[in-house]
Amino acid sequence: MKTIFIECKMGAAGDMLMSALSELHPDPEGFVVRFNALGINDVRIERHKEKKCGIEGTHIRVFCGETEENEDMHKHSHEHSHEHEHGHEHSHEHGNGHSHEHGHSHEHGHSHEHGHEHSHRHLNDVEGIIRALPVTKKVCENVIGVYRLLAAAEAKVHGSDIENIHFHEVGTMDAIADIVGVCMLIDELGADRIIASPVNVGGGFVKCAHGILPVPAPATAELLRGIPMYSNTDEGELCTPTGAALLKYFVSEFCNMPLMSVEKTGCGLGTKNFRRANILRVFIGETGGNTDEIFELSCNIDDMTGEEIAFASEMIFKASARDVFTSPIYMKKSRPALLLSCICTADKREDVVRAVFRHTSTIGIREYKCGRYILDREEKQEDTKYGKLRIKTVSGYGVKREKPEFEDAAKAAEENNVPLFEIKNEIIRKRS
């Protein structure tokens, strides 16, 4: 299975992710040409080879006209009440019944870093820009999907609704460029799945549109809800809202690097210098199977009948246990008893625990956290001389096996008046 692994030991920012993914691309300069041909509001990118702590990597620079933009680390914060040389006041209507007064002025030839044309864009403004781009339908849907995650997070932290949220930093053209670029690269790389390490969010404080906020910024924290994250530095913001939204949208699993045969490594460089190398690495290669974590819940029972145990097992299965089984044991005074074991995922533990207590006589449950190796699974329908059968295939770690779905095989055997094993043999004959 073709897999991209994103290493988030120094967080994740949109420009760094685009830079790193470009190094995995077989034609990175061709990607730059295609991106610049999109015509995103006078936006263009340049790809540069640079070094951080002696490590060479890529830094993609985003330009609006001739001015370089930078969304990384919330560099362009946008406070209400800027004061510059020629003071004047004006208000921005945001379409939700109120305006923001900004006491600020513009010098002739002022830096884009402060201005950004006051990009207080709503979601429909951003979607209008995206839908006008000459990209594939899939890329367009992915870009809009990422922005909808951003809008939902902003709405949650500001107590508003998604349509009335106006974007500050993530509504600027460099952030739009980062998201479009990442979506294009992921589409062109064609990986079967994307996984990432737990996310280092950084520490300390960050200056952004609404003031000085603790790291992770509220929108970033909301986007990373349910995703493993940590902080081991106070050097500043390592994971931006844009980076968090891209991870949340594309990553199917957050874990340590799996067993994989790496074909290529990409290194994206950040703009700031820290004590440690400000880099984001990505890896692409083949994984021969997966790993995950499951929980085993168990208890000893010596006072329930076989019928009661059978009913309890059925109810525990309905509570989303992956497996339920019993083993004969002897308890104190050599009393025969049963060990009831339930396998479940982390998010279903509480449901399974409640079911065990409700339907058995136990007063205590033991819990074990287990790692496991699992094969990749695929199911497809196939025509045979005995009719259509669902064929289940498992592969990985040098193994590949196939067999017909039992219910389909049993039905075909009954309808054709043949032994069940003949259905399995038919699949083997078709493969030989």
Side-chain angles (χ1 to χ4, degrees):
M1 179 182 291
K2 191 174 182 181
T3 301
I4 291 175
F5 176 74
I6 304 171
E7 183 184 71
C8 303
K9 292 180 179 178
M10 284 297 289
D15 59 335
M16 294 174 69
L17 186 55
M18 176 166 59
S19 300
L21 288 171
S22 74
E23 291 205 334
L24 300 183
H25 200 286
D27 182 18
E29 294 306 325
F31 158 72
V32 171
V33 171
R34 287 190 298 280
F35 181 95
N36 287 335
L38 295 178
I40 307 177
N41 290 30
D42 201 27
V43 169
R44 64 183 173 84
I45 62 173
E46 294 180 1
R47 186 171 176 270
H48 296 267
K49 282 288 190 179
E50 299 175 7
K51 288 185 178 181
K52 288 281 184 186
C53 298
I55 305 300
E56 186 176 70
T58 292
H59 177 209
I60 290 183
R61 300 166 65 185
V62 180
F63 293 84
C64 285
E66 296 304 313
T67 306
E68 183 175 0
E69 307 276 291
N70 177 30
E71 188 266 345
D72 186 23
M73 309 302 176
H74 281 117
K75 178 180 175 183
H76 54 274
S77 63
H78 201 150
E79 292 187 37
H80 303 299
S81 190
H82 297 309
E83 295 182 2
H84 298 295
E85 190 173 318
H86 304 294
H88 69 272
E89 292 187 356
H90 60 271
S91 62
H92 296 296
E93 294 291 341
H94 292 294
N96 53 4
H98 67 275
S99 63
H100 291 289
E101 294 288 331
H102 296 284
H104 61 271
S105 66
H106 302 267
E107 292 183 67
H108 297 297
H110 68 282
S111 169
H112 228 80
E113 178 179 327
H114 296 288
H116 286 288
E117 300 177 359
H118 300 284
S119 305
H120 293 185
R121 295 183 175 91
H122 289 76
L123 180 62
N124 60 344
D125 299 324
V126 175
E127 289 190 4
I129 294 171
I130 295 164
R131 292 188 191 281
L133 299 178
V135 295
T136 66
K137 181 180 179 181
K138 183 178 180 183
V139 169
C140 181
E141 289 175 351
N142 287 343
V143 176
I144 290 173
V146 172
Y147 261 103
R148 286 188 177 275
L149 287 177
L150 279 165
E154 292 282 356
K156 178 74 178 293
V157 300
H158 294 302
S160 181
D161 59 78
I162 192 170
E163 298 303 330
N164 285 333
I165 282 296
H166 56 271
F167 295 112
H168 294 274
E169 286 87 353
V170 293
T172 53
M173 295 314 303
D174 55 320
I176 293 174
D178 292 341
I179 293 172
V180 172
V182 169
C183 290
M184 286 179 63
L185 285 164
I186 286 175
D187 184 56
E188 293 178 13
L189 288 169
D192 298 309
R193 66 172 179 159
I194 300 174
I195 56 180
S197 70
V199 184
N200 186 358
V201 296
F205 295 86
V206 60
K207 185 178 181 182
C208 56
H210 297 282
I212 298 175
L213 301 173
V215 172
T220 303
E222 175 63 24
L223 285 161
L224 293 178
R225 189 158 52 90
I227 292 172
M229 62 178 179
Y230 64 97
S231 171
N232 64 0
T233 178
D234 60 358
E235 293 177 312
E237 181 184 48
L238 298 185
C239 183
T240 66
T242 302
L246 287 164
L247 292 176
K248 190 177 186 73
Y249 186 82
F250 284 110
V251 174
S252 59
E253 182 182 358
F254 290 86
C255 59
N256 293 325
M257 179 183 279
L259 180 67
M260 64 186 297
S261 176
V262 175
E263 298 169 4
K264 206 169 186 181
T265 301
C267 182
L269 307 184
T271 57
K272 287 194 173 182
N273 294 315
F274 299 123
R275 293 190 299 272
R276 293 170 292 182
N278 185 17
I279 63 175
L280 185 150
R281 293 194 300 175
V282 292
F283 305 81
I284 191 167
E286 291 293 324
T287 52
N290 302 318
T291 61
D292 68 359
E293 288 183 343
I294 56 171
F295 287 80
E296 181 178 333
L297 306 172
S298 63
C299 58
N300 297 352
I301 299 173
D302 65 354
D303 57 355
M304 292 178 66
T305 67
E307 290 91 344
E308 291 169 339
I309 287 289
F311 179 79
S313 297
E314 185 178 344
M315 293 298 102
I316 296 168
F317 267 120
K318 288 184 176 180
S320 300
R322 292 289 185 87
D323 200 0
V324 181
F325 56 94
T326 59
S327 307
I329 59 172
Y330 286 93
M331 295 176 63
K332 58 185 178 181
K333 299 182 180 179
S334 299
R335 291 200 307 266
L338 291 175
L339 171 65
L340 177 69
S341 302
C342 313
I343 305 296
C344 65
T345 55
D347 59 320
K348 298 298 181 182
R349 273 184 298 170
E350 185 173 344
D351 294 338
V352 173
V353 166
R354 289 178 180 276
V356 173
F357 278 131
R358 179 176 178 82
H359 296 287
T360 74
S361 60
T362 190
I363 59 173
I365 300 172
R366 298 180 295 277
E367 175 185 279
Y368 305 95
K369 183 179 178 180
C370 310
R372 67 170 180 169
Y373 299 95
I374 55 176
L375 298 178
D376 295 322
R377 307 172 193 187
E378 182 183 1
E379 184 179 288
K380 59 184 178 181
Q381 197 170 67
E382 191 171 308
D383 288 316
T384 73
K385 71 177 184 179
Y386 296 117
K388 288 185 180 293
L389 297 175
R390 284 175 294 165
I391 308 299
K392 297 193 327 190
T393 303
V394 295
S395 61
Y397 301 109
V399 171
K400 184 172 182 179
R401 293 194 295 267
E402 292 181 309
K403 70 175 182 178
E405 178 66 43
F406 174 77
E407 288 80 3
D408 291 8
K411 182 179 178 182
E414 183 177 1
E415 290 177 349
N416 292 276
N417 195 27
V418 297
L420 184 61
F421 64 77
E422 177 58 28
I423 306 299
K424 183 177 181 181
N425 290 341
E426 170 63 15
I427 301 301
I428 295 174
R429 282 194 293 270
K430 287 192 68 176
R431 299 293 187 271
S432 61

